[in-house]
Amino acid sequence: MKRSVVGMLALSAMTVAMGSAFAQAAKGLEMTAAEKEQAKKIYFERCAGCHGVLRKGATGKNLEPHWSKKDKDGKVTEGGTLKLGQQRLEKIIGYGTDGGMVNFDDILTKEEIALMSKYIQNTPDVPPEYSFKDTLDSWKVIVPVDKRPTKQMNNFNLKNFFSVTLRDTGEVALIDGDTKEIRSIVKTGYAVHISRLSASGRYVYVIGRDGRLSLIDLWMEKPGVVAEVKIGFDARSVDTSKFAGFEDKYAIAGSYWPPQYVIMDGDTLKPRKVVSTRGMTVDGEYHPEPRVASIVASFIKPEWVVNIKETGQILLVDYSDIENLKTTTIASAKFLHDGGWDATKRYFLVAANASNKIAAVDTKTGKLAALVDVAKIPHPGRGANFTHPKFGPVWATGHLGADVVTLISTPSDDAKNAQYKQYNWKVVQEIKHVPGNLFVKTHPNSKHLWADSAQNSDKDLAESVSVWDMADLSKPKAVLNVAKDSGMPAAKATKRAVHPEYSADGKEVWISLWGGKTDQSAIVVYDDATLKVKKVITDPKMITPTGKFNVYNTQHDIY
Ligand code: DHE
């Protein structure tokens, strides 16, 4: 059965709308069916990620009409959207807030902002569920396994390929890292979020925000999609089985709505199991929408680390027997989001972003290793690992809401690092940056740490990246204005410099220059040693590039 989320949202909306229309008419909040449909689409595409489908809030604030927050004496300190009212909501949506809400005045028209302000004062719709049968019915094998090549049929250096999200066209570009040529543009789900590699490096798994998971075979003469499945209505994460003996056997994808994850066969995406993540938060309250955030495959056990955003529960899902699935549930902190491995790949560090904490899970013991207090809204991407001259091995995260990059000391069994044990799981340094950082990155062959500031409200900063010398972090950072360095004509809309990604050898850093849908975007390739531009990859088809995933680095979790 095929369903579009907007269509299904419309159905459930009608029931709610019928009940609430009368009460809301007096307040001038009634909406026509067409207005509601348009608002729902915008909400799904632009708002649901941070505020949740049920609008209960996560990274973003609660947006229910009648919600209120009380202090310990029971006094109401914050009200819901009805209390904020039309004018205030229009200002917040248009100009953003110091609390981290971005401004939408360059994305939405004045009319759309007014429409959304009205929409969120109406009662949220409850979207439909999505069953195992729905998942199975959506599954398509485009090239069966026995019709696929048995060896690599092209002569590309696949290790240095990049899978690049073309956000607004619902595609990924497969770019040859050696020649910088686009080898294939593949139709995928809407606003693809991430690409991940199979253990073998042959398959790329690409998840769209609309829940469409595409499997790309890099061995084909022209790499293309060989299987597809829709795992939910709204999704962000995917990974594969990487433990010895299970390579390429399974894939797992996490859904925001409905809140559940799906286990599939790795080479066909045939759904095998759907598991709901609804349940209790770490504070002991039931949550109806605990979305699946980052997922990563352990190297030391046949397990996935599955991070549940709203509940703050970290699940270790044992895939050695998926018929009799065993899961370890580790309580950490609410609002789990993105994260990455430490240098030893034993500890997974994940941001509990709206709790201002980093949770570290020990995948060897299956226990929480630490819960580290950090500055406002940590946002590591996968983070960055390097050896600090004074504190030894550290893992770095940037912040959306603070002007620092935080360095956390991580444990090591290497005898030469015994002297640093006293620092483990402590914030050993905060390097001065600017707010609005999304991603940090380094590479074992590099001496540099890169950080973007793509969500900074200042255009110059949003278009720039910062680079530190890891051997001496007291040296002033280099600030590279990627938009200017690209040599492309200046545009009125911000071209956000986002997501540094290294080439396989660690010698180049690729930065997306993410412009508007009708502006020419680009990928700017820097020489990591000299910080000079090596190449600007533009093409009329290069529309809104965001995440870039180097095959080798992603396959081996190198960052
Ligand atoms: Fe992301 C990673 C969720 C907005 C680009 N993003 C992730 C992960 C999650 C997530 C859960 C971790 C996946 C994993 O490792 O398995 N992102 C969300 C949201 O909920 C949010 C805040 C709002 C939304 O509506 O989606 C959001 N993300 C964005 C963007 O606006 C970005 C900048 C551009 C885009 O393409 O939409 C963006 N997110 C990325 C990228 C990664 C990512 C590039 C992977 C980083 C990596 O190096 O692994």
Side-chain angles (χ1 to χ4, degrees):
M1 192 197 319
K2 278 216 159 108
R3 297 169 167 188
S4 96
V5 69
V6 174
M8 291 308 289
L9 287 171
L11 270 178
S12 62
M14 269 156 48
T15 335
V16 179
M18 272 160 27
S20 58
F22 180 75
Q24 282 158 350
K27 300 189 183 87
L29 296 176
E30 69 281 13
M31 299 173 82
T32 64
E35 280 177 330
K36 199 146 194 188
E37 205 48 37
Q38 185 192 358
K40 238 175 283 164
K41 184 166 185 296
I42 296 174
Y43 187 83
F44 170 68
E45 290 178 358
R46 303 284 176 190
C47 320
C50 290
H51 299 279
V53 169
L54 303 180
R55 298 202 228 131
K56 290 195 176 294
T59 313
K61 284 218 182 295
N62 181 301
L63 295 180
E64 291 171 303
H66 299 285
W67 173 79
S68 65
K69 188 175 175 183
K70 294 184 182 139
D71 65 14
K72 58 178 180 7
D73 304 320
K75 206 176 130 213
V76 174
T77 52
E78 271 180 74
T81 51
L82 273 174
K83 187 156 194 321
L84 288 166
Q86 184 73 14
Q87 275 187 355
R88 178 87 188 101
L89 288 170
E90 285 183 27
K91 280 213 175 79
I92 295 174
I93 298 175
Y95 305 121
T97 65
D98 292 342
M101 163 88 177
V102 293
N103 58 304
F104 279 88
D105 57 349
D106 60 350
I107 297 172
L108 302 177
T109 63
K110 272 206 169 87
E111 292 71 32
E112 286 171 333
I113 290 174
L115 179 79
M116 294 315 292
S117 306
K118 204 198 254 191
Y119 178 71
I120 58 175
Q121 292 174 78
N122 280 280
T123 308
D125 307 324
V126 179
E129 300 298 320
Y130 192 72
S131 66
F132 180 78
K133 181 169 185 311
D134 294 329
T135 316
L136 197 60
D137 288 348
S138 75
W139 171 55
K140 273 188 273 184
V141 176
I142 296 142
V143 184
V145 176
D146 60 359
K147 299 271 178 319
R148 292 184 202 160
T150 50
K151 60 179 180 20
Q152 189 181 333
M153 300 305 285
N154 54 56
N155 54 10
F156 308 140
N157 173 15
L158 292 180
K159 262 172 88 170
N160 201 28
F161 249 49
F162 288 73
S163 176
V164 177
T165 296
L166 302 180
R167 191 187 187 286
D168 290 359
T169 63
E171 293 171 321
V172 298
L174 297 169
I175 305 183
D176 188 326
D178 293 354
T179 64
K180 319 284 184 283
E181 279 168 43
I182 300 175
R183 297 291 186 194
S184 185
I185 291 193
V186 175
K187 200 75 207 146
T188 55
Y190 166 75
V192 160
H193 217 84
I194 61 166
S195 297
R196 292 290 189 247
L197 266 293
S198 66
S200 65
R202 167 181 182 170
Y203 291 114
V204 188
Y205 295 76
V206 176
I207 185 88
R209 271 189 173 76
D210 55 0
R212 179 162 142 197
L213 175 64
S214 310
L215 176 66
I216 300 170
D217 185 357
L218 294 176
W219 279 10
M220 284 156 65
E221 199 176 337
K222 184 172 178 179
V225 175
V226 290
E228 253 174 27
V229 65
K230 187 168 168 66
I231 63 107
F233 293 125
D234 190 7
R236 299 291 183 284
S237 49
V238 60
D239 210 349
T240 61
S241 50
K242 292 200 168 150
F243 184 65
F246 291 87
E247 294 95 337
D248 292 10
K249 190 168 165 60
Y250 296 124
I252 177 172
S255 167
Y256 265 18
W257 188 270
Q260 56 201 30
Y261 62 84
V262 180
I263 300 174
M264 292 149 283
D265 285 340
D267 53 359
T268 62
L269 303 184
K270 180 177 182 187
R272 299 284 299 264
K273 199 156 203 136
V274 178
V275 183
S276 171
T277 53
R278 287 190 173 103
M280 307 305 273
T281 70
V282 289
D283 298 340
E285 276 165 22
Y286 177 75
H287 201 291
E289 191 190 356
R291 297 175 288 172
V292 179
S294 44
I295 301 183
V296 72
S298 167
F299 293 94
I300 44 181
K301 283 187 188 173
E303 284 181 348
W304 290 298
V305 182
V306 180
N307 297 288
I308 312 302
K309 190 187 287 286
E310 278 76 7
T311 57
Q313 310 283 8
I314 302 173
L315 309 181
L316 301 180
V317 178
D318 179 340
Y319 54 74
S320 60
D321 178 5
I322 59 169
E323 296 311 317
N324 304 286
L325 201 67
K326 286 189 211 71
T327 304
T328 306
T329 304
I330 302 170
S332 66
K334 289 197 290 192
F335 312 120
L336 298 172
H337 193 79
D338 51 350
W341 291 108
D342 76 312
T344 65
K345 298 198 174 71
R346 168 173 170 177
Y347 301 96
F348 188 74
L349 293 96
V350 53
N353 63 12
S355 301
N356 306 327
K357 290 184 194 307
I358 296 290
V361 55
D362 181 346
T363 58
K364 192 169 170 188
T365 60
K367 295 195 168 144
L368 188 72
L371 202 51
V372 186
D373 286 310
V374 293
K376 198 168 169 189
I377 320 180
H379 194 283
R382 282 167 286 168
N385 288 292
F386 63 96
T387 302
H388 189 285
K390 187 164 165 214
F391 301 109
V394 291
W395 177 87
T397 177
H399 295 262
L400 263 166
D403 59 355
V404 289
V405 172
T406 301
L407 306 185
I408 296 172
S409 157
T410 52
S412 159
D413 289 338
D414 194 329
K416 75 173 189 300
N417 290 325
Q419 55 183 311
Y420 304 120
K421 202 169 186 299
Q422 55 184 312
Y423 305 121
N424 287 171
W425 303 126
K426 294 197 172 107
V427 172
V428 291
Q429 190 173 353
E430 289 183 326
I431 315 168
K432 182 88 179 129
H433 186 34
V434 292
N437 170 229
L438 284 178
F439 302 106
V440 290
K441 197 61 64 79
T442 188
H443 188 282
N445 298 342
S446 170
K447 58 176 190 143
H448 285 140
L449 173 68
W450 293 66
D452 62 24
S453 35
Q455 295 291 20
N456 197 288
S457 52
D458 179 274
K459 186 170 188 279
D460 254 11
L461 289 173
E463 294 184 339
S464 301
V465 291
S466 298
V467 188
W468 291 266
D469 178 348
M470 293 183 299
D472 184 359
L473 292 163
S474 67
K475 275 204 232 159
K477 62 183 179 182
V479 179
L480 312 176
N481 187 310
V482 186
K484 289 196 180 118
D485 286 353
S486 74
M488 290 174 17
K492 199 166 156 254
T494 306
K495 289 190 178 180
R496 297 180 195 278
V498 70
H499 199 242
E501 175 76 346
Y502 275 85
S503 54
D505 61 8
K507 289 189 173 160
E508 291 172 354
V509 177
W510 293 36
I511 315 272
S512 299
L513 205 48
W514 170 21
K517 196 172 175 180
T518 50
D519 299 326
Q520 179 60 66
S521 288
I523 291 173
V524 181
V525 180
Y526 285 90
D527 181 320
D528 181 58
T530 62
L531 306 187
K532 298 269 179 280
V533 174
K534 262 183 94 172
K535 175 88 184 168
V536 179
I537 309 175
T538 52
D539 188 286
K541 293 199 204 89
M542 182 68 80
I543 299 164
T544 58
T546 51
K548 302 161 299 304
F549 304 89
N550 174 275
V551 165
Y552 187 80
N553 294 337
T554 310
Q555 181 189 355
H556 298 282
D557 284 276
I558 296 171
Y559 36 80

